[in-house]
Amino acid sequence: MTGVRGVDVRGSGVRGVDVGGSGVRGSGGHATGGRRAGARAVRPTSARPAGVRSAPIRRLALGLLAAALLAGCTTAPTGAAPGTTGTPNAPNTPAASGSTATATPAPSRSAPTPTPEGTLLVADFGSDTVTFIDPGRGGSGRNGGPIASVEVGTAPYGLVVGEDGRAWVATAEGVAVVDTQWRTRIALIPYETETGPVTTGEYRGGGMGIALAPDGRHVYVGVNVPGGNGTLEVIDTATREVTATAGVGRRPFDVDVSPDGREVYATNHDSFDVTAVDADTLRTRRMEVAPYGTEGGLGSWLKPHYAVVRPQDGTLLLPFEGERLAVLDPRSGKVTIERMTADTHQHGAALAPDGTLLVVGTGPIGSADEGPSLTVRAPDGEERIVPLEGPHEDVAVSADGRTAYVTGGFTRDGYWNGITVVDLDSLDDLNNEKNKPIRLSAGNRPLGIAIL
């Protein structure tokens, strides 16, 4: 299985709430204003029958009872998760207007269907669910669509999936643990950090970025505290307990881990910085990443959002505005700038296996900016820009590096409920209709994404 944030990774006594299967259902952060220095304007009962004397009548009654019990004994269709209720979504098969959909009963003892490999999982920021999505024929998006949704907690944001098939989902209430094979929530781990009332929306408190240690023993989640600095909480994946916390900056949009697992990095949107946290001692170091400066403070659009860690040298890559790629060396704190060409506000990022960087352009924040796009940046810096229809938020790339999946949620207004599938092998011929990106309706304001 593949994990989130570009390159994916694959208990006992839950403290707080330990929940059995939740019902399966069928189917940044900015303020206005701010400009770039020296640049253009800025830019989801049967009652048991009473006894009777007559044997024939008794046999008749028992026969009728058996028939009734058999009729009422059918289970959910085989795609439903064990311990859950509801009907899984059928890919791209909406019911006709005015019609009544009828599910075909399955045998009462039929085995549930496990989630197929290659299924997409998205966090529904506009709801309280994660949604499983069939990526279509060969992962191309064709004939794909939602499979089922599972309740996880209020306003889920980021998610990551481990080698054991468990997904860890950062919600406003806590970190939900989901068995992705059987599509069931198995725990909800409350935060140690006090974040105020559970709310929804762009500035809600609770978990945002989330990542797994390379050895799978710990989960790290960035917790937003409205109006103040956030925290990084450490969760033991065996006990499902929060074991430590460390202070970080404001609104930790993204969390990443060094290739050797020794440091954790929180990308703090509203404080223009990255906090490096020692995984053993929890000592922290603040590193400013502000290629346009910090003028405008909370009202600026020119702040860091997401980062990826380059495996070969451990540097962090943070895209800004489709103009500047900040390359942060976490050992020295030094930032170097490389030129980008999309000229659009940017959020999510991911690395393909060959080192190609994918960056989501959300759209213009100024009159001179370009529209939404996906930047495909080769390791040598050459870029190709794929236009997208409407704002998007985050991106994941297939294990073979041939397909990108871009979520349409977006942290601000203008989002749409679906994902866009981009064939990375066909970028030289996007004018050909069969090579154009494919849009799949799925999820509810989907933000974080993983490939199972």
Side-chain angles (χ1 to χ4, degrees):
M1 302 177 79
T2 330
V4 196
R5 290 273 41 85
V7 180
D8 279 334
V9 293
R10 295 271 233 171
S12 60
V14 178
R15 217 174 49 140
V17 183
D18 191 352
V19 186
S22 295
V24 168
R25 301 178 184 175
S27 268
H30 321 83
T32 56
R35 290 181 178 272
R36 304 179 190 140
R40 297 184 310 278
V42 177
R43 347 225 204 257
T45 71
S46 130
R48 185 172 57 189
V52 270
R53 287 184 173 179
S54 168
I57 294 176
R58 181 182 295 111
R59 286 194 295 270
L60 175 60
L62 291 173
L64 291 173
L65 174 61
L69 289 174
L70 286 172
C73 198
T74 55
T75 62
T78 57
T84 61
T85 58
T87 304
N89 298 316
N92 289 349
T93 54
S97 177
S99 67
T100 301
T102 303
T104 302
S108 60
R109 297 181 184 274
S110 62
T113 303
T115 302
E117 184 177 356
T119 296
L120 308 177
L121 181 67
V122 297
D124 295 325
F125 190 62
S127 181
D128 57 359
T129 59
V130 291
T131 294
F132 293 77
I133 303 170
D134 176 0
R137 187 170 63 251
S140 67
R142 294 179 176 84
N143 300 317
I147 298 171
S149 294
V150 176
E151 293 180 5
V152 291
T154 303
Y157 188 98
L159 55 79
V160 65
V161 180
E163 293 285 352
D164 59 3
R166 287 182 294 173
W168 303 81
V169 187
T171 80
E173 302 173 55
V175 173
V177 187
V178 176
D179 181 331
T180 62
Q181 183 178 19
W182 303 113
R183 302 181 294 282
T184 306
R185 189 184 81 177
I186 56 179
L188 180 63
I189 306 165
Y191 301 118
E192 291 286 339
T193 304
E194 177 57 52
T195 62
V198 173
T199 60
T200 61
E202 182 182 5
Y203 297 97
R204 66 137 178 84
M208 299 186 74
I210 190 167
L212 263 170
D215 62 9
R217 296 175 61 184
H218 295 96
V219 165
Y220 304 101
V221 56
V223 179
N224 178 43
V225 178
N229 287 336
T231 63
L232 182 80
E233 297 204 357
V234 184
I235 296 173
D236 185 308
T237 57
T239 63
R240 299 180 198 150
E241 293 183 352
V242 176
T243 58
T245 63
V248 297
R250 298 175 69 108
R251 294 186 70 208
F253 251 59
D254 192 22
V255 173
D256 297 275
V257 184
S258 64
D260 60 11
R262 293 181 179 180
E263 283 197 320
V264 185
Y265 307 112
T267 299
N268 308 305
H269 180 268
D270 285 357
S271 50
F272 297 88
D273 59 23
V274 170
T275 303
V277 181
D278 186 293
D280 291 326
T281 67
L282 298 183
R283 292 174 181 166
T284 63
R285 293 180 292 115
R286 176 185 181 270
M287 300 174 286
E288 182 174 282
V289 186
Y292 295 92
T294 61
E295 184 180 358
L298 296 179
S300 172
W301 287 78
L302 310 178
K303 295 178 283 193
H305 294 83
Y306 296 84
V308 295
V309 178
R310 195 157 53 188
Q312 62 267 36
D313 60 7
T315 57
L316 280 72
L317 309 179
L318 299 94
F320 283 79
E321 306 305 308
E323 295 179 341
R324 304 178 189 183
L325 179 66
V327 182
L328 170 64
D329 182 345
R331 293 171 291 274
S332 65
K334 180 181 178 181
V335 177
T336 57
I337 302 298
E338 298 179 6
R339 180 176 177 269
M340 300 187 75
T341 60
D343 293 329
T344 189
H345 191 59
Q346 290 179 318
H347 277 204
L351 277 176
D354 66 354
T356 296
L357 175 66
L358 306 177
V359 183
V360 180
T362 65
I365 56 173
S367 59
D369 296 344
E370 300 294 337
S373 64
L374 178 68
T375 291
V376 183
R377 183 184 177 91
D380 64 4
E382 180 184 356
E383 293 188 344
R384 286 177 290 183
I385 310 301
V386 181
L388 299 177
E389 184 181 343
H392 289 66
E393 181 68 21
D394 206 355
V395 59
V397 60
S398 59
D400 60 10
R402 301 179 64 180
T403 310
Y405 302 96
V406 193
T407 58
F410 193 35
T411 52
R412 295 180 61 80
D413 291 339
Y415 64 87
W416 67 286
N417 297 327
I419 64 172
T420 296
V421 184
V422 179
D423 182 352
L424 299 176
D425 284 342
S426 302
L427 301 183
D428 294 329
D429 191 17
L430 288 176
N431 290 327
N432 188 324
E433 192 66 32
K434 71 176 183 179
N435 295 332
K436 291 184 177 180
I438 295 174
R439 286 165 61 95
L440 293 180
S441 295
N444 188 331
R445 198 173 182 177
L447 296 186
I449 182 170
I451 305 172
L452 305 179

